[in-house]
Amino acid sequence: TYATTENKSTVVYLTDVLGLDSSTIRSLEDTTIGALKQQAEWLQLRLGLVDSELRMLVRELPQLLYMPKLGERLAFLQNRLRRDKPSLKKTVIRAPNILLLDVNSDVAPALDWLQQRLDLTDHQLNRIIKSMPTIVNLICENRDAIETKMNWLQGTLGVDNKK
């Protein structure tokens, strides 16, 4: 399947643009090779990525090329965080692992928790996520530890939750 004429340009794209290993590509079916390219091109257009940015994302998280519901995850982040395309792109490039999290069971509860815990407006929450998008992953992985540290800090400083 690797040597079919129709897929040569796709294979070149996957190896040259995305940096995927040609031996791995050789083991794939034609339809899979085409789907990988289609997903990569969609992701590039959706986020407005240049080739080098797409390559970096795919190198870090190759599962982005076959991840189900990626469009839903990006749409949720864009809507919940009120991001335009360039800002969403920056968020994803700075914290690509956010795309591995489930929107309903991970991301939404983490954002809600942070917003409620710190009594943030939507605008304030969005500014925090914009400056430190990895905080979403940290909250999902370590919410109890973060809560403990926040309680200690508030007690030490004598700060109320609502201040």
Side-chain angles (χ1 to χ4, degrees):
T1 61
Y2 176 72
T4 61
T5 305
E6 301 88 39
N7 278 335
K8 284 189 179 181
S9 67
T10 300
V11 170
V12 168
Y13 174 83
L14 294 174
T15 56
D16 292 356
V17 174
L18 300 182
L20 298 179
D21 182 60
S22 61
S23 63
T24 302
I25 295 170
R26 276 188 221 116
S27 67
L28 301 174
E29 297 291 325
D30 288 348
T31 54
T32 302
I33 291 170
L36 292 176
K37 181 181 181 191
Q38 184 178 7
Q39 178 79 345
E41 290 174 334
W42 173 85
L43 183 61
Q44 188 168 27
L45 284 173
R46 177 67 173 84
L47 292 175
L49 302 167
V50 297
D51 287 351
S52 60
E53 292 166 330
L54 179 63
R55 183 181 186 128
M56 183 222 31
L57 277 177
V58 169
R59 188 176 293 152
E60 189 167 339
L61 296 173
Q63 59 268 51
L64 291 178
L65 296 181
Y66 54 85
M67 180 181 290
K69 299 183 180 183
L70 182 58
E72 291 176 26
R73 292 170 194 213
L74 289 169
F76 173 83
L77 290 170
Q78 188 164 22
N79 293 332
R80 178 68 166 87
L81 299 175
R82 297 185 177 127
R83 297 283 193 265
D84 59 10
K85 192 175 188 176
S87 184
L88 179 64
K89 171 184 164 177
K90 286 179 186 175
T91 298
V92 169
I93 286 174
R94 290 184 62 207
N97 287 333
I98 197 170
L99 296 176
L100 300 178
L101 301 172
D102 182 83
V103 168
N104 296 316
S105 63
D106 296 322
V107 180
L111 294 173
D112 292 342
W113 178 84
L114 183 62
Q115 187 168 21
Q116 291 169 5
R117 182 65 176 83
L118 298 178
D119 194 29
L120 301 170
T121 65
D122 286 345
H123 179 72
Q124 291 168 324
L125 175 68
N126 294 340
R127 286 183 56 207
I128 288 172
I129 303 302
K130 188 174 186 175
S131 66
M132 189 180 165
T134 56
I135 197 167
V136 177
N137 291 77
L138 293 172
I139 291 169
C140 291
E141 295 167 5
N142 304 298
R143 187 176 309 177
D144 292 339
I146 292 170
E147 178 72 28
T148 301
K149 289 176 184 178
M150 289 175 80
N151 288 337
W152 175 86
L153 186 59
Q154 282 182 306
T156 301
L157 298 175
V159 177
D160 185 355
N161 267 0
K162 301 295 180 188
K163 292 183 180 178

PDB file of all heavy atoms in Angstrom, residues 1 6 8 11 32 51 92 134 147:
ATOM      1  N   THR A   1       0.813  -1.197   0.000  1.00  0.00           N
ATOM      2  CA  THR A   1       0.000   0.000   0.000  1.00  0.00           C
ATOM      3  C   THR A   1       0.860   1.266   0.000  1.00  0.00           C
ATOM      4  O   THR A   1       0.439   2.287  -0.497  1.00  0.00           O
ATOM      5  CB  THR A   1      -0.916   0.035   1.220  1.00  0.00           C
ATOM      6  OG1 THR A   1      -0.126   0.041   2.385  1.00  0.00           O
ATOM      7  CG2 THR A   1      -1.894  -1.117   1.225  1.00  0.00           C
ATOM      8  N   GLU A   6      -1.208   7.179  -5.875  1.00  0.00           N
ATOM      9  CA  GLU A   6      -2.082   8.168  -5.252  1.00  0.00           C
ATOM     10  C   GLU A   6      -1.562   8.625  -3.895  1.00  0.00           C
ATOM     11  O   GLU A   6      -1.777   9.751  -3.481  1.00  0.00           O
ATOM     12  CB  GLU A   6      -3.505   7.606  -5.060  1.00  0.00           C
ATOM     13  CG  GLU A   6      -4.185   7.164  -6.336  1.00  0.00           C
ATOM     14  CD  GLU A   6      -3.868   5.708  -6.686  1.00  0.00           C
ATOM     15  OE1 GLU A   6      -3.811   4.862  -5.775  1.00  0.00           O
ATOM     16  OE2 GLU A   6      -3.658   5.431  -7.875  1.00  0.00           O
ATOM     17  N   LYS A   8       1.688   8.654  -2.830  1.00  0.00           N
ATOM     18  CA  LYS A   8       3.058   9.153  -2.732  1.00  0.00           C
ATOM     19  C   LYS A   8       3.116  10.581  -2.220  1.00  0.00           C
ATOM     20  O   LYS A   8       3.927  10.894  -1.360  1.00  0.00           O
ATOM     21  CB  LYS A   8       3.785   9.012  -4.064  1.00  0.00           C
ATOM     22  CG  LYS A   8       4.209   7.582  -4.332  1.00  0.00           C
ATOM     23  CD  LYS A   8       5.108   7.479  -5.520  1.00  0.00           C
ATOM     24  CE  LYS A   8       5.495   6.018  -5.680  1.00  0.00           C
ATOM     25  NZ  LYS A   8       6.391   5.806  -6.777  1.00  0.00           N
ATOM     26  N   VAL A  11       2.279  10.549   1.470  1.00  0.00           N
ATOM     27  CA  VAL A  11       3.397  10.037   2.264  1.00  0.00           C
ATOM     28  C   VAL A  11       4.478  11.104   2.391  1.00  0.00           C
ATOM     29  O   VAL A  11       5.035  11.311   3.472  1.00  0.00           O
ATOM     30  CB  VAL A  11       3.956   8.725   1.655  1.00  0.00           C
ATOM     31  CG1 VAL A  11       5.258   8.326   2.320  1.00  0.00           C
ATOM     32  CG2 VAL A  11       2.924   7.613   1.775  1.00  0.00           C
ATOM     33  N   THR A  32      -5.978   4.854   5.914  1.00  0.00           N
ATOM     34  CA  THR A  32      -5.449   5.441   7.152  1.00  0.00           C
ATOM     35  C   THR A  32      -4.479   6.562   6.828  1.00  0.00           C
ATOM     36  O   THR A  32      -4.506   7.622   7.456  1.00  0.00           O
ATOM     37  CB  THR A  32      -4.751   4.361   8.010  1.00  0.00           C
ATOM     38  OG1 THR A  32      -5.687   3.318   8.290  1.00  0.00           O
ATOM     39  CG2 THR A  32      -4.246   4.947   9.308  1.00  0.00           C
ATOM     40  N   ASP A  51       3.429  25.250   8.911  1.00  0.00           N
ATOM     41  CA  ASP A  51       3.931  23.866   8.885  1.00  0.00           C
ATOM     42  C   ASP A  51       4.782  23.523  10.104  1.00  0.00           C
ATOM     43  O   ASP A  51       4.638  22.448  10.683  1.00  0.00           O
ATOM     44  CB  ASP A  51       4.739  23.604   7.608  1.00  0.00           C
ATOM     45  CG  ASP A  51       3.855  23.490   6.367  1.00  0.00           C
ATOM     46  OD1 ASP A  51       2.614  23.435   6.507  1.00  0.00           O
ATOM     47  OD2 ASP A  51       4.417  23.454   5.258  1.00  0.00           O
ATOM     48  N   VAL A  92      -3.248  26.411  22.482  1.00  0.00           N
ATOM     49  CA  VAL A  92      -2.961  25.018  22.125  1.00  0.00           C
ATOM     50  C   VAL A  92      -1.455  24.791  21.973  1.00  0.00           C
ATOM     51  O   VAL A  92      -0.931  23.775  22.420  1.00  0.00           O
ATOM     52  CB  VAL A  92      -3.728  24.615  20.844  1.00  0.00           C
ATOM     53  CG1 VAL A  92      -3.252  23.279  20.314  1.00  0.00           C
ATOM     54  CG2 VAL A  92      -5.225  24.588  21.124  1.00  0.00           C
ATOM     55  N   THR A 134      -1.481  25.855  30.975  1.00  0.00           N
ATOM     56  CA  THR A 134      -1.186  24.547  31.579  1.00  0.00           C
ATOM     57  C   THR A 134      -1.872  24.360  32.924  1.00  0.00           C
ATOM     58  O   THR A 134      -1.931  23.240  33.424  1.00  0.00           O
ATOM     59  CB  THR A 134       0.329  24.367  31.760  1.00  0.00           C
ATOM     60  OG1 THR A 134       0.830  25.460  32.531  1.00  0.00           O
ATOM     61  CG2 THR A 134       1.042  24.289  30.426  1.00  0.00           C
ATOM     62  N   GLU A 147      -5.884  22.482  46.124  1.00  0.00           N
ATOM     63  CA  GLU A 147      -6.847  22.966  47.124  1.00  0.00           C
ATOM     64  C   GLU A 147      -6.181  23.081  48.489  1.00  0.00           C
ATOM     65  O   GLU A 147      -6.349  24.083  49.197  1.00  0.00           O
ATOM     66  CB  GLU A 147      -8.056  22.020  47.188  1.00  0.00           C
ATOM     67  CG  GLU A 147      -9.094  22.404  48.221  1.00  0.00           C
ATOM     68  CD  GLU A 147      -9.900  23.640  47.843  1.00  0.00           C
ATOM     69  OE1 GLU A 147     -10.068  23.917  46.649  1.00  0.00           O
ATOM     70  OE2 GLU A 147     -10.364  24.323  48.772  1.00  0.00           O
TER      71      GLU A 147
END
